[in-house]
Amino acid sequence: MTIEEGLDELSAAVKARIPEIYDCIRARLQYAYEDYSTATRNSSLTEAESETITASLRDVLEYIGQGRVGATRASNETLREVRLAARAGVDLHHLLRGSRAAQATLWEFILEEAHRIIIDPLQRSKVLRHASASHFAWNDRVSASIIETYQMESTAFSRQSQNRRKLSSLRALLAGLPIDSTVFSYNLSGRHLAAVVSGEGVEAVARTLGAASRIRPLVITAEDETGYIWAEWSNRLPSPQVVLADALPKDTRIAFGTLSEGVDGFVVSHRRALEAESVAQKLGTQVTWYEDVMLEALATRDLAAVTSFISDELGGLGLHQDPPSRLVETLEAYFASGQNAALAAQRLGVHSRTIAYRLKLIEAKIGSRGVLRDELPVAIRLWRMVDAMKLELGGLEESPALPQPAP
């Protein structure tokens, strides 16, 4: 019998006794360690532990049977148990002690089977020497995986628990209820800039704001993974727009509130950031500042009234015709150019005579007084939002998903 054959035969013999080994391990864990039963009262953890024992026995015996001393890793069952244990607050030492006890029990069965199936003492000694090396190598590497996974999960779970407490306190604060502000570890009496971040860039934005203000921002994550950020922003610091201009991550939507003071400002800036985020969703913009979309934020509270207003102001321009936006775009460029037809022509890339012709056409449709109304630029700006949302003018009263005007 070669050493390889001996290891293979020994592994197969011990595998056949896995149910018996399992029972012995459970009995040893229950009675040898007084705190064991208390630490594993969680039913999910107990079930995961049972799966871990069986999977570990199978894995280590296959490792020994192949005579390996190279790389290995903890089974998925083991890592699942470790993560559950970390979340349940089970001590890492308890996990490692249980693992050692299980491997000690297994080794007793390995010795017993080796004496039963390998008659020659010299051959048995050689096989057991190789089996021992593989067994210790497996156990060392798996223990390292257990420690690493436990520490990572424990840290992540601690952050999640802290985040849940912060989120609960935030909701209470927004509702006007008294809270223990120490949970935030953040100065509520300062000058705040709030942001709402969707995507993978929450930490990147927080780092950028923190580096600029030299004060760690407050970061809270909602259930849908949306990130809420508050940064203290003193008057001596540059404009937030300047700080963040070249530091915004791709594939991330960010909406900012306003710079606001004190506890009330903390709440106000956050609510304005939420309103800006609502507008950003509708317009599809990546970076949105509340001060740039105040009008749109107000308008979204009553979209039915907004579309009625747009219809009254711009309906005569033939918004439903093809192309529906040509005359509106002309007016938009005209007002953006300070009502300078030549500059408007440059903006649109057309001849100035084209702009003059379109303006006469617009006057014919809505009257010269209509072109001078202060409401016209507002209607054009809101039309942009409605157009981006693909809403039908005048048809909102039939849509149950949109808010209706107050009676």
Side-chain angles (χ1 to χ4, degrees):
M1 175 188 290
T2 65
I3 293 176
E4 290 75 14
E5 291 172 340
L7 289 170
D8 186 60
E9 188 174 345
L10 176 60
S11 175
V14 179
K15 276 183 185 178
R17 300 181 67 181
I18 282 181
E20 182 184 353
I21 301 171
Y22 172 88
D23 291 338
C24 288
I25 291 172
R26 290 306 299 264
R28 174 174 289 190
L29 291 175
Q30 290 287 348
Y31 299 112
Y33 303 108
E34 294 180 359
D35 63 340
Y36 177 81
S37 59
T38 301
T40 57
R41 282 178 182 170
N42 183 308
S43 59
S44 298
L45 184 56
T46 301
E47 178 185 353
E49 182 192 63
S50 297
E51 295 174 354
T52 293
I53 292 174
T54 302
S56 296
L57 290 173
R58 182 188 63 245
D59 288 352
V60 68
L61 288 172
E62 288 179 358
Y63 198 73
I64 290 173
Q66 296 170 9
R68 303 167 83 182
V69 292
T72 187
R73 66 175 185 85
S75 65
N76 292 332
E77 292 85 352
T78 298
L79 297 181
R80 175 173 175 267
E81 181 200 358
V82 171
R83 294 188 182 100
L84 287 172
R87 288 173 174 266
V90 176
D91 187 70
L92 175 59
H93 176 67
H94 173 89
L95 286 178
L96 295 174
R97 186 171 58 177
S99 178
R100 288 193 298 270
Q103 295 309 314
T105 303
L106 173 62
W107 187 249
E108 293 171 4
F109 278 82
I110 291 174
L111 290 175
E112 184 178 325
E113 286 301 308
H115 280 81
R116 185 180 68 83
I117 65 176
I118 306 175
I119 305 302
D120 181 10
L122 181 60
Q123 186 68 18
R124 185 194 312 131
S125 176
K126 292 179 180 179
V127 170
L128 284 174
R129 190 179 301 116
H130 281 78
S132 176
S134 295
H135 192 191
F136 275 102
W138 183 92
N139 196 55
D140 286 345
R141 288 171 173 78
V142 167
S143 294
S145 296
I146 290 174
I147 294 171
E148 179 183 10
T149 301
Y150 182 94
Q151 292 173 337
M152 291 176 62
E153 188 67 18
S154 181
T155 300
F157 186 66
S158 175
R159 288 177 179 172
Q160 290 171 6
S161 298
Q162 292 173 6
N163 183 76
R164 283 193 292 270
R165 290 195 295 272
K166 291 177 181 178
L167 187 58
S168 177
S169 296
L170 171 64
R171 286 170 175 163
L173 181 61
L174 294 176
L177 301 175
I179 65 164
D180 176 11
S181 61
T182 58
V183 70
F184 293 141
S185 298
Y186 178 84
N187 178 24
L188 293 181
S189 64
R191 186 170 182 248
H192 317 284
L193 173 66
V196 176
V197 184
S198 301
E200 301 296 327
V202 178
E203 291 300 327
V205 173
R207 283 195 300 271
T208 300
L209 291 173
S213 65
R214 297 185 180 180
I215 301 175
R216 182 178 179 83
L218 169 61
V219 180
I220 302 177
T221 305
E223 289 87 348
D224 62 357
E225 301 303 320
T226 299
Y228 302 146
I229 299 176
W230 291 261
E232 288 191 61
W233 212 263
S234 67
N235 292 323
R236 62 180 174 76
L237 295 173
S239 164
Q241 287 93 328
V242 174
V243 171
L244 291 162
D246 300 319
L248 297 174
K250 295 180 180 179
D251 302 323
T252 299
R253 187 171 64 244
I254 307 171
F256 295 94
T258 52
L259 289 169
S260 306
E261 301 277 351
V263 176
D264 290 341
F266 177 90
V267 173
V268 167
S269 186
H270 175 65
R271 285 180 171 158
R272 288 175 174 174
L274 289 173
E275 291 189 55
E277 162 64 10
S278 178
V279 174
Q281 288 184 33
K282 294 173 175 60
L283 298 182
T285 51
Q286 182 189 13
V287 182
T288 309
W289 296 88
Y290 176 79
E291 291 176 343
D292 294 335
V293 294
M294 290 175 64
L295 176 63
E296 289 80 358
L298 289 171
T300 55
R301 299 178 186 179
D302 194 342
L303 290 172
V306 166
T307 57
S308 178
F309 169 71
I310 294 172
S311 247
D312 290 344
E313 295 297 322
L314 303 179
L317 298 181
L319 294 177
H320 297 291
Q321 298 174 6
D322 183 31
S325 61
R326 178 176 294 168
L327 296 182
V328 178
E329 287 178 343
T330 299
L331 276 175
E332 188 176 35
Y334 181 64
F335 288 123
S337 304
Q339 301 183 34
N340 185 309
L343 292 178
Q346 292 179 12
R347 278 177 173 268
L348 295 178
V350 298
H351 197 279
S352 58
R353 286 197 297 268
T354 301
I355 297 297
Y357 168 77
R358 291 180 184 175
L359 289 175
K360 287 183 180 180
L361 185 59
I362 290 169
E363 286 185 1
K365 288 179 176 290
I366 64 174
S368 57
R369 292 184 62 184
V371 176
L372 298 177
R373 282 172 57 83
D374 293 337
E375 290 82 358
L376 193 58
V378 175
I380 292 172
R381 180 169 165 181
L382 293 179
W383 174 83
R384 277 293 180 195
M385 180 183 72
V386 169
D387 185 56
M389 296 169 65
K390 309 300 180 186
L391 298 180
E392 292 293 333
L393 296 179
L396 291 180
E397 63 275 11
E398 301 175 358
S399 175
L402 294 168
Q404 300 300 311

